[in-house]
Amino acid sequence: MTRQVLVMLAVAAVFAVLGVGLLLSLLRPSGPAKVYAFRMVGIMALALGLALGMSALAMWQWSAEG
């Protein structure tokens, strides 16, 4: 596994954990503005983490084939 793939996986993990953390923090009662912001940013961070993770795994697979 190359260093670039490891960096991408690390960044993907950070964003995925951030997104899950923000979404889990909504279990506590909060104001409507905080709920809206945390939900929006949490979903986007989780989606970014998943997309980066899939891209990193694809890049790792392509580099192993060549």
Side-chain angles (χ1 to χ4, degrees), residues 4 8 11 15 17 19 30 34 38 41-42 49-50 53 55-56 60 62-63 65:
Q4 291 87 354
M8 278 182 74
V11 172
F15 277 106
V17 168
S30 301
K34 184 177 179 180
F38 276 33
V41 174
L50 292 174
S55 296
W60 178 32
W62 292 334
S63 67
E65 290 175 359

Side-chain angles (χ1 to χ4, degrees), residues 39-58:
R39 185 181 299 154
M40 182 176 60
V41 174
I43 289 172
M44 289 192 305
L46 184 57
L48 176 62
L50 292 174
L52 273 176
M54 289 186 295
S55 296
L57 293 175

Side-chain angles (χ1 to χ4, degrees), residues 1-8:
M1 191 177 297
T2 64
R3 184 175 57 210
Q4 291 87 354
V5 173
L6 290 173
V7 169
M8 278 182 74

